């Protein structure tokens, strides 16, 4: 076989392998697309269920309001029938035996009605509690489905190589960096949308709920002490939910990384954070840190945000330290607290691993490494190292 035939054979072999790779890629994309459609159907079904539950919840609220009035009337009627029964039972010279039977029967029927109303009240309260729990679960499933759809869309676009629009925007940056920018910017856009949706939806709805409960409280202020106690409890829960929603909005609001850079943004964020949560954060910068790529600054900021939130919620202390340093072309970020710590094996549990997985994904996206050091009673350290230029630390990116 001469050189020409050898080159032709190698070319045909390469073409065949390329076609096989294209076929495999097409099947992968098709499988992901089928999964995405299934997730979409689940999200739609959850949305319909949520609408029905919310509608039932509104009906229960209305029925409970009417039930309060019916109970009050029935209790008054029951008192009157008992008084009448006592009167006819004491004076046989005026009332006949039929009068006594009729009075007894009236009292019995009123007592049965009152018992039915009380049982209905118990059922409505129990059903309302069940709906509240189910609504929270359905909302969580719906949100997770939306996130999964977003991630599958990104995966399909990446597999299809649909990144032409990025080339027009960042001609001077290689394709890998364009993909990183796209993913980070998509995450930030999603966070801004969540904050906006929370403001326009749950926050206003909860505020309206509190106003409505105040009105009911005023209408029943002098008539039923138990009702007022229950309303105060519901109002307290509503206020707590509203506080949680506003705190979530605070954590998700856009940062000033575009204008100020990472260090200034962290200082401003920590100052606001300390005032809001009474949690002190010591920022230590051991070397000069130049303005970094926006995508890297956003990733580092979100890692700090996640680690500080974990420290505040789980460490049992009211202070933490954040340290940044550049040595050569490696930036080191350390978030440390002296709190209770935890067993690292517990972080493998799905419920507890989402934040850690998110931090690892952000670090690995930029070719860095992350190390979490913790044990019960010895605090926690999150150590992040990312390259500012050149090849990735772990050699995979």
């Amino acid at each position: 076989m001469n050189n020409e035939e050898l080159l032709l054979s190698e070319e045909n072999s390469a073409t065949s392998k390329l076609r096989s790779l294209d076929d495999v890629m097409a099947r992968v994309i098709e499988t992901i697309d089928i999964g995405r459609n299934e997730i979409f159907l689940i999200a739609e079904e959850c949305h319909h269920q949520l609408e029905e539950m919310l509608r039932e919840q509104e009906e229960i609220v209305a029925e409970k309001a009417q039930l309060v009035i019916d109970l009050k009337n029935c209790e008054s009627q029951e008192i009157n029938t008992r008084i009448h029964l006592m009167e006819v039972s004491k004076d046989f010279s005026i009332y006949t035996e039929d009068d006594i039977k009729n009075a007894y029967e009236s009292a019995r029927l009123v007592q049965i009605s009152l018992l039915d109303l009380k049982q209905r009240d118990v059922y409505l309260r129990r059903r309302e509690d069940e709906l509240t729990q189910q609504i929270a679960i359905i909302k969580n499933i719906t949100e997770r489905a939306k996130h999964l759809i977003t991630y599958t869309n990104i995966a399909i676009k990446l597999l299809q190589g649909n990144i032409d629009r990025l080339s027009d925007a960042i001609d001077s940056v290689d394709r890998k960096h364009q993909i990183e920018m796209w993913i980070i910017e998509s995450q930030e856009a999603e966070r801004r949308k969540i904050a906006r949706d929370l403001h326009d939806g749950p926050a206003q709805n909860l505020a309206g709920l509190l106003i409505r409960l105040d009105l009911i409280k005023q209408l029943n202020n002098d008539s039923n002490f138990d009702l007022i106690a229950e309303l105060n409890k519901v109002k307290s829960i509503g206020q707590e939910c509203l506080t949680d929603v506003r705190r979530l909005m605070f954590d998700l609001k856009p940062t000033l990384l575009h204008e100020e850079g990472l260090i200034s943004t962290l200082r401003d964020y920590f100052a606001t954070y300390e005032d809001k949560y009474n949690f002190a954060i010591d920022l230590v910068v051991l070397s000069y840190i130049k303005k970094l790529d926006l995508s890297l600054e956003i990733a580092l900021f979100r890692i700090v945000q996640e680690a500080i939130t974990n420290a505040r919620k789980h460490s049992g202390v009211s202070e933490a330290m954040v340290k940044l340093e550049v040595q050569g072309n490696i930036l080191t970020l350390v978030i440390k607290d002296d709190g209770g710590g935890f067993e690292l094996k517990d972080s493998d549990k799905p419920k507890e691993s989402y934040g850690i997985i998110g931090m690892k994904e952000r670090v690995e996206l930029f070719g860095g490494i992350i190390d979490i050091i913790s044990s019960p009673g010895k605090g926690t350290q999150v150590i992040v190292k990312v390259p500012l230029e050149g090849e990735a630390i772990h050699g995979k990116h």
Side-chain angles (χ1 to χ4, degrees), residues 321-324 332-336 381-384:
M321 182 189 72
V322 176
K323 182 174 69 173
L324 290 107
T332 301
L333 166 66
V334 179
I335 304 100
K336 180 179 182 295
Q381 287 190 74
V382 178
I383 303 174
V384 175

Side-chain angles (χ1 to χ4, degrees), residues 96-126:
T96 65
E97 185 176 345
D98 288 336
D99 292 331
I100 297 174
K101 288 181 178 180
N102 291 335
Y104 175 81
E105 182 65 17
S106 297
R108 188 180 69 85
L109 292 176
V110 172
Q111 288 177 347
I112 292 174
S113 298
L114 182 60
L115 181 61
D116 289 341
L117 290 173
K118 289 182 177 180
Q119 289 177 342
R120 182 62 178 172
D121 181 64
V122 172
Y123 167 78
L124 290 176
R125 293 175 186 274
R126 185 179 298 130

Side-chain angles (χ1 to χ4, degrees), residues 179-235:
I179 295 174
E180 294 169 354
M181 282 290 296
W182 179 31
I183 293 175
I184 295 297
E185 289 174 357
S186 297
Q187 291 173 338
E188 291 305 305
E190 184 181 58
R191 287 176 180 269
R192 288 194 293 270
K193 179 180 181 301
I194 292 173
R196 186 170 58 252
D197 290 344
L198 285 173
H199 176 269
D200 295 339
Q204 292 188 6
N205 291 337
L206 285 171
L209 174 64
L210 296 176
I211 294 173
R212 185 172 181 180
L213 289 175
D214 277 333
L215 179 61
I216 296 175
K217 179 179 178 180
Q218 292 174 6
L219 294 175
N220 295 271
N221 193 39
D222 298 327
S223 60
N224 194 319
F225 177 79
D226 291 338
L227 177 61
I228 297 300
E230 180 66 22
L231 288 175
N232 283 331
K233 180 181 177 181
V234 174
K235 181 178 178 181

Side-chain angles (χ1 to χ4, degrees), residues 182-379:
W182 179 31
I183 293 175
I184 295 297
E185 289 174 357
S186 297
Q187 291 173 338
E188 291 305 305
E190 184 181 58
R191 287 176 180 269
R192 288 194 293 270
K193 179 180 181 301
I194 292 173
R196 186 170 58 252
D197 290 344
L198 285 173
H199 176 269
D200 295 339
Q204 292 188 6
N205 291 337
L206 285 171
L209 174 64
L210 296 176
I211 294 173
R212 185 172 181 180
L213 289 175
D214 277 333
L215 179 61
I216 296 175
K217 179 179 178 180
Q218 292 174 6
L219 294 175
N220 295 271
N221 193 39
D222 298 327
S223 60
N224 194 319
F225 177 79
D226 291 338
L227 177 61
I228 297 300
E230 180 66 22
L231 288 175
N232 283 331
K233 180 181 177 181
V234 174
K235 181 178 178 181
S236 176
I237 294 173
Q239 288 173 329
E240 183 178 350
C241 291
L242 184 58
T243 300
D244 289 341
V245 171
R246 285 175 172 165
R247 284 179 179 174
L248 181 59
M249 289 165 56
F250 165 75
D251 290 337
L252 292 175
K253 68 181 181 180
T255 66
L256 298 175
L257 286 168
H258 290 273
E259 296 83 9
E260 303 296 336
L262 179 62
I263 304 302
S264 295
T265 300
L266 286 176
R267 287 196 178 99
D268 292 342
Y269 178 73
F270 291 161
T272 305
Y273 200 92
E274 290 173 3
D275 291 339
K276 195 166 190 69
Y277 296 107
N278 194 27
F279 188 88
I281 305 169
D282 183 18
L283 177 61
V284 180
V285 182
L286 298 179
S287 61
Y288 171 74
I289 298 177
K290 64 181 181 179
K291 187 77 168 66
L292 307 174
D293 288 341
L294 177 61
S295 56
L296 177 58
E297 288 191 340
I298 291 174
L300 293 173
F301 178 82
R302 293 304 182 191
I303 290 169
V304 171
Q305 191 178 43
E306 177 69 26
I308 288 297
T309 300
N310 289 340
R312 177 178 62 84
K313 289 183 176 180
H314 306 300
S315 69
V317 296
S318 59
E319 60 182 359
M321 182 189 72
V322 176
K323 182 174 69 173
L324 290 107
E325 182 179 13
V326 174
Q327 290 183 334
N329 68 333
I330 301 297
L331 183 146
T332 301
L333 166 66
V334 179
I335 304 100
K336 180 179 182 295
D337 69 74
D338 295 323
F342 62 94
E343 289 285 356
L344 288 176
K345 62 182 180 180
D346 292 340
S347 66
D348 294 334
K349 298 177 182 178
K351 182 178 179 182
E352 300 173 8
S353 64
Y354 296 138
I356 294 176
I357 289 175
M359 289 192 289
K360 287 181 178 178
E361 287 179 347
R362 290 181 186 273
V363 173
E364 291 175 358
L365 183 64
F366 292 92
I369 56 175
I370 182 170
D371 190 16
I372 299 175
I373 304 172
S374 184
S375 60
K378 296 185 178 180

